[in-house]
Amino acid sequence: MPNNRNNRPAARRTGSLTRLSVRRGGRTRPEPTDGPDRLRYLRSPATWLAGILLAVATVTFQDVLTGAVKAILPLDRLPDRLSPQNAIDVVEVRNVKKTGLFLVRGDVDGRVLDAVGSGEPGRHEESVVDVDDARWMVTLQGRASQQVRITDIVPEVEGGTCSSPLTGNLVNAPSQGVQRAIALKVAIDEPAPRLMVPKEKGPEEKGKEKETDAEEPYFTGSEPRHITLDQNESEALLIEATSEEGYCRWRYRVRYQVGGSTAEMVLSRSGGKPFELTGQLADASGYRSVHYRSFGCSDSTAWLTGTGEEYKRAGDTLPCPPS
């Protein structure tokens, strides 16, 4: 039988690898000459230290660049965290009325009377509404790196108009004081309420106070005024609202300029609640009860309680209780 092995044609040798040569441990790829040196370089402490220093230098450069951009570009060209909509911070909105009339919607007990007469913020709970006038202390603070200029504060009454005065229980509280601030006034039940300020009349004379003429708009009068806030600067506004004929709920729209842009914000009570105020009833007999402190009585610290009809007949002063 012929030997097939000897009859096979001779394999042609080439420089390429074949499956057979691979299986037989043929030619192998040489190791890269720089492999170990590269690994040693990456694991070197000096390399890590250089990387840390480069990262710190990058962050420092970014901070310096951001500060330069703030000083040059308008505020509306900066990131959202510095946008005009966030240029004013409302530090405090506090009811500081501590004298005059209040209305209590629900039942009146000793706790409510003590709270109303204490002058503490807790007395202005949801059941208590200011009557005739309301005094609010509003503290605003500038947040932008550039100066904020408040150009107008416009009252916006819910529904566009006030409703009928509230009925309930009338409370006349004793007087207290308020702190110094920019004093503004607004007749909130007028068709187009505006923040007003008494207009000074004539030079001040020694020993006499300046005379005042009729009130004029603070921001839009014959001599328009504005309020400026530098960064972290605060300004307190004492805003007194009055209502003679209706029950009003409102908020303020604050318009201002900063960094070449105009913006506005809505000013409300805590929790976004509207300000509220009611005028007196034309007929005091419509009140369910009236609570009053008469300093002419022997015990001036006690609350006198009567009906609305008794309060009306007594001429807005309840009689002293029998001793």
Side-chain angles (χ1 to χ4, degrees):
M1 186 174 182
N3 188 352
N4 294 332
R5 181 180 300 178
N6 296 331
N7 296 333
R8 290 178 181 176
R12 186 173 56 184
R13 296 181 179 273
T14 65
S16 61
L17 296 178
T18 64
R19 294 182 181 177
L20 184 60
S21 67
V22 172
R23 286 197 300 270
R24 291 179 180 177
R27 187 184 308 172
T28 59
R29 181 176 300 174
E31 291 290 336
T33 58
D34 58 346
D37 292 339
R38 183 182 300 175
L39 292 177
R40 282 196 300 270
Y41 176 76
L42 294 176
R43 293 172 182 172
S44 171
T47 303
W48 285 98
L49 179 59
I52 293 174
L53 293 177
L54 179 61
V56 172
T58 301
V59 173
T60 303
F61 176 75
Q62 289 177 345
D63 291 341
V64 173
L65 181 61
T66 301
V69 171
K70 289 181 185 179
I72 297 174
L73 293 181
L75 204 62
D76 58 347
R77 300 280 299 277
L78 298 179
D80 291 341
R81 63 187 178 91
L82 295 173
S83 68
Q85 297 301 329
N86 299 322
I88 297 178
D89 185 25
V90 181
V91 178
E92 181 183 44
V93 178
R94 179 166 54 96
N95 193 322
V96 295
K97 179 179 177 179
K98 299 179 181 180
T99 180
L101 299 175
F102 303 87
L103 184 129
V104 181
R105 291 189 178 99
D107 296 334
V108 178
D109 54 23
R111 182 189 66 83
V112 173
L113 290 176
D114 289 342
V116 171
S118 67
E120 297 299 325
R123 70 189 176 95
H124 292 286
E125 54 191 48
E126 290 302 315
S127 62
V128 179
V129 181
D130 295 325
V131 178
D132 283 347
D133 66 316
R135 292 183 288 275
W136 289 87
M137 185 71 70
V138 177
T139 304
L140 305 177
Q141 185 179 63
R143 297 181 59 190
S145 58
Q146 298 181 359
Q147 188 180 76
V148 179
R149 174 173 172 162
I150 300 176
T151 58
D152 205 356
I153 300 179
V154 182
E156 295 184 344
V157 179
E158 287 189 348
T161 184
C162 301
S163 58
S164 301
L166 295 178
T167 62
N169 307 286
L170 189 66
V171 178
N172 193 334
S175 63
Q176 299 284 342
V178 297
Q179 68 187 69
R180 181 181 179 87
I182 296 178
L184 303 172
K185 295 183 178 181
V186 56
I188 197 64
D189 55 346
E190 289 187 351
R194 302 291 298 181
L195 289 180
M196 310 290 284
V197 62
K199 183 178 180 181
E200 296 179 354
K201 182 179 179 180
E204 183 178 4
E205 297 181 9
K206 186 176 181 180
K208 296 183 179 180
E209 295 183 354
K210 285 186 178 181
E211 297 181 0
T212 57
D213 200 353
E215 297 175 350
E216 67 171 4
Y218 183 87
F219 294 99
T220 59
S222 57
E223 299 178 359
R225 303 167 177 85
H226 60 268
I227 300 171
T228 58
L229 296 173
D230 293 326
Q231 189 174 30
N232 297 325
E233 180 185 9
S234 299
E235 187 67 76
L237 311 177
L238 177 59
I239 304 178
E240 180 179 0
T242 60
S243 178
E244 297 181 356
E245 300 180 354
Y247 168 60
C248 311
R249 292 163 56 92
W250 75 97
R251 294 177 175 86
Y252 294 101
R253 186 166 298 276
V254 182
R255 296 169 179 163
Y256 57 93
Q257 300 173 348
V258 56
S261 299
T262 59
E264 59 183 34
M265 60 176 287
V266 176
L267 180 62
S268 309
R269 291 166 54 197
S270 176
K273 300 174 183 177
F275 300 91
E276 59 178 343
L277 171 66
T278 183
Q280 288 193 61
L281 294 175
D283 185 354
S285 62
Y287 292 112
R288 292 196 296 270
S289 65
V290 177
H291 306 267
Y292 188 87
R293 278 181 175 173
S294 176
F295 294 100
C297 300
S298 57
D299 187 1
S300 60
T301 61
W303 287 96
L304 307 179
T305 300
T307 64
E309 185 63 38
E310 291 173 336
Y311 183 69
K312 177 182 178 180
R313 288 199 306 266
D316 298 342
T317 301
L318 292 174
C320 295
S323 56

